[in-house]
Amino acid sequence: DSYSSPGRLIGISGIHTETRPLRSNQPSSHIDSFGIQMVVDFLFAQQEAKWSLINTAYACSPPPRPRHDASQYIDSIKVFSEPNYGSLSEITPLLSYEQSMDLSDFNSSQEKGMLEAYGFFHLKQKPIIAKDYSFSFYYYKDGAIIDSSFTKKYFISNQ
């Protein structure tokens, strides 16, 4: 492995999210499901500067992505939908992480070791009404918000 750590991990400098539609053979305006990608930028003692986990440009295959456990710095995540996704404004119970862990389980301390710095949240059900949705993420540590992130609007089909 050619990756070498930039130093001792000391914290998180920022978190951002993006939506990634997973399209079927439906027309492009219809999204059967999509993932919400979370990327955490960590702070390392050696550089004392932000170090991003994502290379912004590369000519061929990206290098192996380092994995860091963000649960040392994040102990719960709440996600809200605008407009309401079905009858819910807070959609945290409707999300799974990497299709194996419910976000609610992470928040209740059952699966803390599974949250890594880079991964996808997936909605477990389609909306009742097809329309444009955007999502806001709030990241907590010890009951206090340490960061927030927002997605752009996506049309999500209920078909």
Side-chain angles (χ1 to χ4, degrees):
D1 189 289
S2 61
Y3 169 74
S4 61
S5 174
R8 184 175 55 88
L9 187 60
I10 59 172
I12 289 176
S13 66
I15 305 169
H16 60 277
T17 53
E18 300 172 3
T19 48
R20 303 280 185 183
L22 308 172
R23 299 188 190 280
S24 66
N25 53 7
Q26 296 290 322
S28 61
S29 63
H30 291 260
I31 298 174
D32 286 341
S33 62
F34 70 98
I36 302 169
Q37 178 184 19
M38 176 189 72
V39 180
V40 178
D41 293 318
F42 286 98
L43 287 172
F44 291 87
Q46 180 177 321
Q47 293 182 344
E48 295 182 338
K50 185 170 91 166
W51 178 77
S52 177
L53 294 176
I54 304 300
N55 288 326
T56 56
Y58 39 83
C60 52
S61 297
R65 189 175 296 115
R67 305 291 268 192
H68 297 287
D69 181 7
S71 64
Q72 180 179 353
Y73 305 101
I74 301 169
D75 60 24
S76 62
I77 303 170
K78 292 184 180 179
V79 185
F80 296 85
S81 170
E82 174 60 40
N84 285 3
Y85 196 87
S87 62
L88 299 175
S89 171
E90 183 182 351
I91 62 161
T92 307
L94 301 181
L95 289 176
S96 61
Y97 180 73
E98 296 288 5
Q99 298 181 334
S100 63
M101 172 186 76
D102 287 349
L103 188 54
S104 298
D105 288 341
F106 174 81
N107 288 346
S108 65
S109 302
Q110 295 176 27
E111 301 286 353
K112 287 292 184 199
M114 294 183 69
L115 182 66
E116 292 180 328
Y118 174 90
F120 285 89
F121 298 98
H122 299 269
L123 285 161
K124 296 189 283 187
Q125 64 189 49
K126 294 180 181 181
I128 295 170
I129 300 170
K131 59 183 353 180
D132 290 326
Y133 293 91
S134 60
F135 304 95
S136 24
F137 284 67
Y138 296 92
Y139 303 93
Y140 294 82
K141 180 66 176 176
D142 299 325
I145 294 177
I146 60 165
D147 207 342
S148 60
S149 187
F150 308 91
T151 69
K152 65 180 184 178
K153 285 190 177 288
Y154 269 92
F155 179 82
I156 304 177
S157 172
N158 62 345
Q159 300 301 309

